[in-house]
Amino acid sequence: MADLTIDLNADLGEGFGRWRLTDDDALLSVVTSANVACGFHAGDPSTMRRVCELAAERGVRVGAQVSYRDLAGFGRRAMDVPPRELADEIAYQIGALRVFARSAGADVAYVKPHGALYNRCVRDPAQAAAVVEGVLLAADGVPLPVLGLPGSRLHEAAGAAGLPVVSEGFADRAYTAAGTLVPRGEPGAVIDDPDAVVKRSLALARDGSVTSIDGEAVQVTVRSLCVHGDTPGAADLARRVRAELEAAGVRVEPFA
């Protein structure tokens, strides 16, 4: 049985200039942790500042959502970045967000990779180690927790470096029998039925389990549950997920 405490996180600040993808204001009234885009896959200085200010006002933890440098592809295209360069870019993104978080009276509380980088770090020890090196470069004396998939190479590298690791689950993504995410390009990878998302949220939070795309029960113990902010009706779905979790006796509170 999983611990009956869960964090709700969402990817926020995913806009650029006049273009906005996520309903940051609405989602920040529901989630407990905000994965703020740091400018490499989405986000710009003014967006980062605005989201940090809103998050601080509402007691939502600010996390740096770091990515490959890929604005055109929204950070979802596979890239091969030399490890030292990737480490520098991770530190750069965290440092940029920290300026705005601190100006709002908060701070960067954790780090989560985005998109292609997230998935690459599940299996690639070199890229995972580079992300951890970047987190350490930007640590500023504070060991930042790393949010990621349980059993990933990222968590292995972070744990070996003395960084706290936080296991994340996805109620709106399909899982393989191995406990990894089904690639977005494959049929059924994204679950868009709200009832199914709510049911899976409860199973992850209460039972530490999820049904794989092949119908198998997979044990996935998580401390944070991601509700994607770029899906249609994301805020309404997040409200429903939170309400159902709390009705089931699950405390919804930040991990950091």
Side-chain angles (χ1 to χ4, degrees):
M1 174 73 70
D3 181 12
L4 295 181
T5 302
I6 201 78
D7 168 72
L8 279 183
N9 78 75
D11 303 343
L12 300 178
E14 289 185 329
F16 197 85
R18 297 179 61 185
W19 171 67
R20 290 189 184 182
L21 178 62
T22 49
D23 189 348
D24 299 327
D25 187 77
L27 283 164
L28 284 167
S29 297
V30 183
V31 301
T32 47
S33 296
N35 316 317
V36 184
C38 297
F40 273 35
H41 76 281
D44 57 43
S46 294
T47 301
M48 292 161 68
R49 181 179 180 181
R50 175 177 53 81
V51 174
C52 285
E53 288 174 348
L54 285 171
E57 287 173 6
R58 299 176 189 184
V60 176
R61 301 298 187 268
V62 173
Q65 186 163 45
V66 296
S67 171
Y68 287 128
R69 188 189 293 270
D70 182 27
L71 274 176
F74 196 59
R76 287 182 176 161
R77 297 185 294 189
M79 292 188 168
D80 288 310
V81 181
R84 184 177 178 87
E85 181 180 337
L86 179 58
D88 293 342
E89 292 188 340
I90 297 303
Y92 180 94
Q93 292 175 77
I94 296 168
L97 185 65
R98 176 175 282 130
V99 169
F100 298 115
R102 288 182 173 175
S103 72
D107 206 342
V108 174
Y110 64 94
V111 177
K112 173 185 172 178
H114 165 81
L117 181 59
Y118 187 102
N119 292 321
R120 181 75 173 265
C121 287
V122 170
R123 66 184 191 282
D124 188 322
Q127 293 282 279
V131 170
V132 169
E133 181 183 349
V135 175
L136 293 171
L137 280 171
D140 198 21
V142 179
L144 290 171
V146 176
L147 181 60
L149 207 67
S152 63
R153 294 292 182 264
L154 178 64
H155 272 187
E156 289 180 5
L163 296 175
V165 295
V166 182
S167 294
E168 179 179 36
F170 296 84
D172 59 357
R173 291 293 309 278
Y175 279 78
T176 69
T180 59
L181 299 180
V182 174
R184 277 184 176 269
E186 295 186 13
V190 178
I191 297 164
D192 53 16
D193 177 2
D195 291 336
V197 172
V198 171
K199 182 178 179 181
R200 288 161 70 89
S201 298
L202 289 168
L204 283 163
R206 294 189 306 181
D207 308 320
S209 69
V210 68
T211 301
S212 77
I213 198 167
D214 299 320
E216 297 183 37
V218 181
Q219 291 304 118
V220 184
T221 302
V222 301
R223 177 62 180 86
S224 186
L225 190 63
C226 180
V227 180
H228 279 103
D230 62 344
T231 56
D236 289 338
L237 180 58
R239 289 190 194 95
R240 183 177 170 193
V241 166
R242 179 161 184 164
E244 295 285 351
L245 287 169
E246 292 176 335
V250 179
R251 298 188 307 277
V252 180
E253 58 186 44
F255 62 81

